C-alpha cells in the first residue's frame, strides 16, 4: 500500500514529546487526542497451529477404531473423527493440556510421507510454557505420531486486549486494507471466528481478510469469553495487570497469520548483518519475530482518523512489543507471482475446478467461494490480471463456464 499514513505526535502528561505518551497531536491540523483511559491488559500469542510432515507411525490409526478416551504418548485423550473441512481425518484432544492433534491428511495416503499432523495449541497452554518448552512438547508428540517428523511452518494468532476503547460506529469505513473480504457482525451473541460464523444479538464485531492470508478480528472479548465459559480464565489473565478494571468491557484486536504467510516471511526476510535469510520453521524460532508480524498486521490493516493519518489508537497498539531480542532484519514477504511462469497450470486448474464444481451442482456463488478459499487464490487473480481481466471479469468467466457445462452436458456431468 503506497503513501504510508503519518502518525500523530505522542506526548506525555507534561506535554513533552515521548514515544510512549498517550496524548497525541496532529501537527497538521492541531487536533489533539487523550488516550489516558486506554489500557493494554494483555498482549501475546493466542493460538499456534504447528504443521509436521512425515510418515504415520505403524498402528497409529488403530487409536480411532472406536471413538472414546485413549492413552497415547503418556497422556489421556479424547479420540474421534473430524470433518473433511479441517483437512484431516482424526483428532486427539486433551483440553486440560490445551492441545489438539489433527492426524492423517486427507490429501496423502496412509503409508506415504505427507503433511499428516497439525498440532493446535490453546492460550492457556501457550502461557504455561516458554516457547522452547512448548516446541519440545509439540516435537515429542509429533515423534509419537510420525516417523522422522519434520516441522513445517506454523500459523499464529497474535492478540491484544484493551479497556477504555471500543470500535466506533465508523470503524469499518475508516479501516483500510488490501483484502477484498470484509465482514462485520453487528450484535453478536456468540462468535465462532475459526469457522467464520456468527449468531446475532448484542455487541459489535468485525472480521477483515481471508483465512488463507492475514485476518484482523476486532470484537468484545468479555462477551465472547462469557459465551465460551472462559471468562474466569481470562479475568485471571487480565488481573495480572494492575490497570485491569473488572467492571469495564474488554475489546480484543487480533491478527491471524496463515502458515503460508509466515512461510512467505521466512523466504523473504533477511538478517541485515549477515545477509542470510531468517530461519524460522517452527514456533520457537518464529517467536523472536512476532514483533515484526504484529507491526506488519497494523500496517496491512490501517485504521485512519482522516485520510493520510493513522488514528492515534492504532499508533498506540502498533508500538506494543514482545519481550524478545530480534535480529536486525529487513522483513519482507516473498511472493511467487503468476508472471513468473506461463500460467498454464492456472488454466488447467481452473478447467478442472469448473468440471468438479459442475459435477457437484455448485451455484456460481458457491463455486466462487470455494475458489476464493484456495491458499493460492491470489496467484489465480494475478494471472488473469496480467491477461487484462479484473476480479469481476473472472467472476463472470466462472459464471459462463459453469453455465456452459450445465447446458451442454446437463445431468451427464
Amino acid at each position: 500500500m503506497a503513501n504510508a499514513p503519518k502518525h500523530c505526535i505522542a506526548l506525555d502528561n507534561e506535554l513533552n514529546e515521548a514515544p510512549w505518551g498517550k496524548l497525541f497531536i496532529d501537527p497538521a491540523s492541531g487536533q489533539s487526542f487523550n488516550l489516558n483511559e486506554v489500557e493494554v491488559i494483555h498482549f501475546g500469542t493466542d493460538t499456534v497451529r504447528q504443521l509436521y510432515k512425515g510418515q504415520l507411525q505403524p498402528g497409529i490409526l488403530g487409536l480411532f477404531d472406536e471413538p472414546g478416551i485413549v492413552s497415547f504418548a503418556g497422556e489421556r485423550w479424547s479420540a474421534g473423527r473430524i470433518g473433511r473441512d479441517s483437512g484431516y481425518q482424526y483428532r486427539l484432544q486433551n483440553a486440560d493440556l490445551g492441545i489438539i492433534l489433527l492426524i492423517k491428511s486427507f490429501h496423502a495416503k496412509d503409508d506415504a510421507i505427507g503433511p499428516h499432523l497439525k498440532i493446535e495449541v490453546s492460550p492457556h497452554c501457550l502461557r504455561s510454557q516458554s516457547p522452547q518448552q512448548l516446541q519440545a512438547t509439540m516435537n515429542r508428540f509429533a515423534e509419537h505420531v510420525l516417523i522422522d517428523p519434520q516441522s513445517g511452518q506454523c500459523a499464529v494468532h497474535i492478540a491484544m486486549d484493551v479497556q477504555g476503547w471500543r470500535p466506533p460506529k465508523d470503524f469499518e469505513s475508516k479501516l483500510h486494507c488490501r483484502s477484498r473480504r470484509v465482514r462485520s457482525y453487528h450484535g453478536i451473541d456468540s462468535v465462532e471466528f475459526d469457522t467464520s460464523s456468527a449468531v446475532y444479538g448484542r455487541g459489535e464485531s468485525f472480521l477483515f481478510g481471508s483465512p488463507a492470508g492475514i485476518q484482523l478480528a476486532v470484537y468484545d472479548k468479555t462477551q465472547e469469553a462469557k459465551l465460551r465459559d472462559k471468562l474466569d480464565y481470562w479475568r485471571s489473565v487480565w488481573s495480572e495487570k494492575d490497570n485491569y478494571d473488572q467492571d469495564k468491557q474488554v475489546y480484543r484486536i487480533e491478527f491471524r497469520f496463515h502458515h503460508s504467510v509466515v512461510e512467505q516471511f521466512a523466504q523473504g526476510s533477511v538478517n541485515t548483518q549477515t545477509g542470510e535469510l531468517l530461519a524460522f520453521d517452527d514456533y520457537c524460532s518464529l517467536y523472536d519475530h512476532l514483533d515484526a508480524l504484529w507491526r506488519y498486521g497494523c500496517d496491512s490493516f490501517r485504521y485512519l482518523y482522516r485520510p493520510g493519518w493513522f488514528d492515534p489508537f492504532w499508533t498506540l497498539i502498533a508500538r506494543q512489543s514482545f519481550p524478545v531480542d530480534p535480529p536486525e532484519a529487513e522483513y519482507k514477504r516473498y511472493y511467487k507471482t503468476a508472471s513468473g511462469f506461463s500460467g498454464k497450470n492456472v488454466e488447467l486448474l481452473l478447467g478442472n475446478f469448473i468440471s468438479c464444481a459442475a459435477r457437484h451442482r455448485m451455484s456460481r456463488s458457491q463455486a466462487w467461494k470455494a475458489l476464493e478459499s484456495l491458499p493460492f487464490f491470489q496467484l489465480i487473480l494475478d494471472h488473469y490480471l496480467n491477461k487484462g481481466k479484473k476480479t469481476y471479469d473472472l467472476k463472470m468467466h466462472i459464471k459462463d463456464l459453469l453455465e456452459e457445462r450445465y447446458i451442454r452436458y446437463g445431468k451427464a456431468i
Side-chain angles (χ1 to χ4, degrees):
M1 297 168 72
N3 302 321
K6 298 177 181 179
H7 291 276
C8 294
I9 298 173
L11 308 172
D12 61 21
N13 288 333
E14 303 300 322
L15 301 184
N16 298 312
E17 191 168 341
W20 297 97
K22 290 186 178 181
L23 301 178
F24 294 86
I25 187 166
D26 178 347
S29 68
Q31 187 170 353
S32 61
F33 307 84
N34 186 339
L35 299 188
N36 277 321
E37 296 297 316
V38 178
E39 300 289 354
V40 176
I41 56 174
H42 169 68
F43 180 47
T45 313
D46 184 70
T47 302
V48 165
R49 296 189 175 101
Q50 176 77 60
L51 301 178
Y52 288 90
K53 184 178 181 180
Q55 187 175 353
L56 291 169
Q57 290 280 5
I60 184 71
L61 299 185
L63 290 170
F64 307 100
D65 289 343
E66 292 187 13
I69 305 300
V70 300
S71 295
F72 176 74
E75 305 287 349
R76 298 284 282 169
W77 306 81
S78 170
R81 290 180 174 269
I82 49 177
R84 192 180 184 93
D85 288 347
S86 69
Y88 295 83
Q89 290 182 252
Y90 307 100
R91 60 121 180 96
L92 291 175
Q93 181 173 0
N94 185 315
D96 191 43
L97 290 176
I99 289 178
I100 302 175
L101 309 181
L102 303 182
I103 299 170
K104 173 57 184 72
S105 171
F106 270 109
H107 310 296
K109 294 183 178 180
D110 297 10
D111 57 355
I113 294 175
H116 284 304
L117 176 64
K118 178 164 71 173
I119 301 180
E120 298 192 355
V121 185
S122 71
H124 84 260
C125 182
L126 281 162
R127 287 177 55 81
S128 67
Q129 303 182 55
S130 69
Q132 295 79 11
Q133 292 170 330
L134 177 59
Q135 195 63 56
T137 298
M138 292 192 291
N139 290 348
R140 178 171 66 86
F141 289 138
E143 289 170 356
H144 282 79
V145 175
L146 302 175
I147 300 171
D148 189 25
Q150 302 297 316
S151 62
Q153 205 46 267
C154 71
V156 292
H157 295 185
I158 307 175
M160 177 180 294
D161 296 334
V162 300
Q163 289 187 309
W165 178 88
R166 64 183 301 158
K169 292 181 179 180
D170 61 355
F171 179 74
E172 184 177 340
S173 65
K174 292 187 175 182
L175 197 288
H176 300 256
C177 59
R178 296 183 178 93
S179 175
R180 295 170 174 80
R181 182 177 299 182
V182 178
R183 278 168 283 177
S184 62
Y185 304 113
H186 298 280
I188 288 186
D189 270 339
S190 65
V191 182
E192 294 289 344
F193 275 125
D194 290 340
T195 56
S196 300
S197 65
V199 178
Y200 294 86
R202 294 182 304 168
E204 193 171 74
S205 298
F206 301 89
L207 183 61
F208 303 84
S210 166
I214 306 174
Q215 285 186 308
L216 165 64
V218 179
Y219 57 99
D220 185 335
K221 183 62 181 177
T222 305
Q223 180 73 355
E224 188 262 4
K226 186 184 299 182
L227 291 163
R228 290 178 182 260
D229 198 23
K230 300 289 185 182
L231 187 56
D232 287 339
Y233 168 74
W234 281 108
R235 278 179 171 169
S236 71
V237 173
W238 298 328
S239 295
E240 294 176 9
K241 296 285 189 179
D242 294 335
N243 51 8
Y244 171 57
D245 185 342
Q246 186 169 315
D247 295 327
K248 290 184 178 180
Q249 294 295 103
V250 176
Y251 276 84
R252 169 161 291 190
I253 299 93
E254 180 177 326
F255 290 113
R256 300 165 180 177
F257 295 88
H258 189 263
H259 64 83
S260 63
V261 174
V262 177
E263 179 61 23
Q264 287 173 339
F265 273 104
Q267 294 180 6
S269 301
V270 177
N271 185 313
T272 54
Q273 293 181 322
T274 65
E276 298 177 346
L277 288 176
L278 298 177
F280 43 90
D281 56 1
D282 58 24
Y283 175 65
C284 183
S285 56
L286 172 64
Y287 186 78
D288 283 345
H289 309 286
L290 293 180
D291 270 351
L293 288 186
W294 177 258
R295 290 194 297 272
Y296 184 84
C298 290
D299 189 59
S300 296
F301 298 87
R302 297 171 172 178
Y303 177 37
L304 309 181
Y305 92 91
R306 70 180 180 92
W309 290 84
F310 279 108
D311 188 282
F313 174 75
W314 219 240
T315 299
L316 186 150
I317 70 165
R319 69 191 186 190
Q320 301 298 316
S321 60
F322 283 81
V324 297
D325 185 22
E328 293 184 14
E330 178 184 356
Y331 292 93
K332 186 177 181 181
R333 290 173 68 180
Y334 170 76
Y335 294 91
K336 289 184 178 179
T337 64
S339 60
F341 70 111
S342 67
K344 180 180 179 181
N345 288 336
V346 173
E347 301 283 357
L348 289 172
L349 180 147
L350 192 62
N352 291 326
F353 172 83
I354 290 296
S355 296
C356 292
R359 187 175 183 84
H360 283 76
R361 309 302 296 180
M362 297 174 75
S363 67
R364 174 181 66 180
S365 60
Q366 288 173 329
W368 180 259
K369 186 175 181 181
L371 191 69
E372 214 177 15
S373 69
L374 295 174
F376 42 81
F377 176 65
Q378 188 61 49
L379 185 68
I380 298 171
L381 290 182
D382 290 345
H383 170 69
Y384 283 97
L385 186 62
N386 289 337
K387 296 180 67 174
K389 292 181 182 292
K390 297 182 180 180
T391 303
Y392 175 79
D393 300 321
L394 179 57
K395 281 186 176 181
M396 293 300 101
H397 185 49
I398 297 286
K399 169 185 172 294
D400 293 342
L401 289 174
L402 267 178
E403 186 177 38
E404 180 189 23
R405 292 289 201 284
Y406 289 142
I407 292 175
R408 290 182 60 185
Y409 301 105
K411 295 186 179 298
I413 296 174

